[in-house]
Amino acid sequence: QPVERKGMIDTQPPRGTRDFPPEDMRLRNWLFGEFAAVSAAFGFEQFDAPVLESEELFVRKAGEEITDQLYNFEDKGGRRVALRPELTPSLARLVLQRGKQLPLPAKWFAIGQCWRYERMTRGRRREHYQWNMDIVGVPGVEAEAELLAAIVAFFERVGLTAADVGIKVSNRKVLQAVLTQYGVPPESFAKVCVIVDKLDKLPREKVEEELRVLGVEASTIDGVLGALQLRDLDQLAALLGADSEAVAELRRLWELAAGYGFQDWLVFDPSVVRGLAYYTGTVFEARDRAGQLRAICGGGRYDKLLATFGAAEDTPMAGFGFGDAVIVELLKDRGLLPAPAHRVDDVVVPLDGGLRPAAAGVATALRRGGRRVDLVLEAKKMKWAFKHAEKLGASRLVLVGASEWERGAVVVKDLAKFEQKEIQVAELTGAAAAAAAAAAVSA
């Protein structure tokens, strides 16, 4: 039956999304591997949750941008759902689901896809992958210090230094104390934080206008924005008082950072408040020192998030989200972005069509032995086979020829040493199996 032919489809992915052809997938796997390796080094367990979640998980009433950026809709069962814009609320749902059965402290990490319908810029798309590390059940800034140590460990693994990246750190209690000094009511605090977070995105006049609309007086606005210009903990202590809880937590964090050895990466900056209303204590975000890119990652403490989802009591929680887009741009700018190659160990070539079953058996035995094997599936000339093996970075070319096969052997060409010899098939595949067994024992 003839197939109805239509016009060519649009071959581009939806606006703001990406394809991952093999070369890009290799890079993504490398990056995710670095994320996972750091998480494992710090003793974290991996989790995941559905990309599609209940809409109510992400809709809060503090005027957050994220609420307006949801990919949300009503499904065929009449339920309001959304593609997750971040991972933390899903973590919170899982923690609530486990309840008292979850041993604390819990250290979990995830690498998942997130969706936000927003204006695209360099390092910002409408979908991205995000690495999250979260600690549940530790009330002190020791949790934040451990998380910051993990971020720094990642940066160091990929070749970045404290000269490339600074991690701006503050505490939500700083802004809360300043607002309290100026008589701003507690119920306005979350909304003020969301507005102040726009200081690096909007002109100061626009931020002041939004604060006035919220009912904040002009003198208070000047005082608040002035306090956010401080860059020294001693100055902050002079403003808030020596017994300030915010100052004490920040000093403790710097003390721990010195112990870990990453204090050179930290920058005190009280203008960092993060744009999500659920943060309650320490907040931080990493940025390139040159100031050419958006935030690389960000996070902090969010002890009251579970209560907003109906929990009877608060649970100490801290974590961060680290996107896959900005870090790639930064590594590219610094000449540190790898280009992982597609590699195999062996290329198996039947020299005769009738030997194809024999070649398939050799390839199978080598694969069972743990080697990565490319089996040539069509009739090809030797010149092509050599070029193909070179392109794949193969260490050996295994030739299955008629006369050798009659003797139970194959020809193995060592492409690094430019040597070749005839090897019995049992010896070749047995050596591969022995090597795989040895690797399994050592692991």
Side-chain angles (χ1 to χ4, degrees):
Q1 183 174 336
V3 176
E4 180 185 354
R5 295 191 177 276
K6 298 180 179 180
M8 176 64 77
I9 63 167
D10 182 358
T11 60
Q12 296 303 308
R15 182 170 169 78
T17 67
R18 297 167 287 176
D19 292 316
F20 289 92
E23 61 275 13
D24 293 337
M25 196 67 193
R26 288 194 292 273
L27 178 62
R28 192 179 100 179
N29 287 340
W30 167 80
L31 181 63
F32 289 9
E34 295 298 312
F35 289 159
V38 170
S39 301
F42 280 71
F44 280 60
E45 297 181 279
Q46 189 166 12
F47 79 97
D48 201 358
V51 174
L52 187 68
E53 287 275 21
S54 170
E55 182 187 61
E56 66 177 348
L57 207 56
F58 309 105
V59 177
R60 293 177 289 270
K61 296 178 171 59
E64 298 169 337
E65 286 183 328
I66 201 169
T67 302
D68 297 327
Q69 295 167 352
L70 285 177
Y71 276 88
N72 51 346
F73 55 94
E74 186 176 289
D75 70 9
K76 293 181 180 180
R79 294 170 288 265
R80 295 295 305 176
V81 293
L83 298 178
R84 65 184 178 200
E86 55 162 334
L87 292 166
T88 306
S90 295
L91 168 76
R93 181 177 60 75
L94 278 171
V95 171
L96 280 172
Q97 181 189 101
R98 300 287 290 274
K100 299 293 185 183
Q101 295 178 341
L102 178 65
L104 299 179
K107 299 178 180 179
W108 287 8
F109 83 97
I111 303 168
Q113 191 178 39
C114 300
W115 294 80
R116 296 186 186 186
Y117 193 89
E118 62 178 325
R119 185 175 63 85
M120 292 178 294
T121 60
R122 186 183 180 205
R124 173 65 74 184
R125 303 180 182 89
R126 288 175 178 167
E127 59 80 23
H128 70 284
Y129 284 86
Q130 187 165 296
W131 169 40
N132 271 43
M133 290 181 71
D134 295 88
I135 297 176
V136 183
V138 176
V141 294
E142 288 76 11
E144 289 93 314
E146 181 81 342
L147 294 166
L148 289 166
I151 292 170
V152 170
F154 170 83
F155 286 144
E156 291 177 340
R157 280 181 68 98
V158 299
L160 293 168
T161 70
D164 299 308
V165 176
I167 305 177
K168 297 183 176 184
V169 181
S170 187
N171 193 302
R172 276 283 178 94
K173 295 170 186 175
V174 171
L175 185 56
Q176 191 169 17
V178 173
L179 292 174
T180 300
Q181 282 187 353
Y182 282 92
V184 177
E187 57 269 21
S188 298
F189 176 61
K191 293 180 179 179
V192 170
C193 285
V194 170
I195 295 170
V196 170
D197 183 62
K198 300 175 184 178
L199 275 171
D200 65 338
K201 308 180 187 77
L202 299 175
R204 176 173 168 138
E205 296 75 24
K206 180 65 176 173
V207 172
E208 291 177 355
E209 180 184 335
E210 291 194 21
L211 289 172
R212 282 195 296 271
V213 170
L214 195 60
V216 182
E217 296 181 0
S219 59
T220 300
I221 293 173
D222 290 339
V224 169
L225 298 185
L228 299 184
Q229 303 304 312
L230 299 178
R231 293 296 180 268
D232 182 271
L233 287 179
D234 290 334
Q235 293 176 339
L236 183 67
L239 176 68
L240 300 184
D243 59 346
S244 163
E245 186 178 358
V247 173
E249 289 183 8
L250 288 166
R251 288 199 191 281
R252 176 60 175 163
L253 184 58
W254 251 258
E255 180 185 335
L256 290 166
Y260 279 100
F262 65 76
Q263 70 272 29
D264 290 346
W265 293 76
L266 302 187
V267 179
F268 171 59
D269 185 345
S271 69
V272 174
V273 296
R274 304 293 294 157
L276 296 172
Y278 54 65
Y279 287 113
T280 56
T282 304
V283 284
F284 55 83
E285 58 186 33
R287 290 184 174 269
D288 65 300
R289 297 270 190 183
Q292 297 174 339
L293 299 166
R294 296 178 62 129
I296 304 165
C297 65
R301 176 162 292 278
Y302 50 97
D303 292 346
K304 296 184 181 300
L305 181 58
L306 294 192
T308 68
F309 293 149
E313 55 188 35
D314 295 338
T315 300
M317 300 177 76
F320 68 78
F322 194 125
D324 69 328
V326 177
I327 186 62
V328 167
E329 295 295 332
L330 179 59
L331 293 175
K332 196 182 301 179
D333 287 349
R334 297 294 186 274
L336 296 170
L337 194 66
H342 173 48
R343 295 193 179 280
V344 301
D345 298 311
D346 301 322
V347 173
V348 176
V349 185
L351 300 182
D352 184 296
L355 291 169
R356 206 162 287 287
V362 170
T364 297
L366 289 170
R367 288 165 178 160
R368 285 174 178 164
R371 295 184 69 81
R372 297 168 296 176
V373 180
D374 180 74
L375 174 62
V376 176
L377 302 175
E378 302 172 285
K380 295 291 183 180
K381 295 181 178 179
M382 282 303 301
K383 183 177 180 181
W384 180 92
F386 274 107
K387 286 187 175 179
H388 181 63
E390 182 181 359
K391 183 180 75 172
L392 294 181
S395 57
R396 303 187 306 186
L397 194 59
V398 180
L399 305 177
V400 183
S403 57
E404 293 85 4
W405 190 253
E406 287 178 0
R407 296 190 292 273
V410 293
V411 173
V412 177
K413 291 181 178 287
D414 187 315
L415 300 176
K417 298 178 180 178
F418 300 102
E419 298 174 353
Q420 76 172 51
K421 56 183 176 180
E422 186 174 303
I423 299 179
Q424 289 292 303
V425 172
E427 180 185 345
L428 177 71
T429 56
V441 169
S442 64

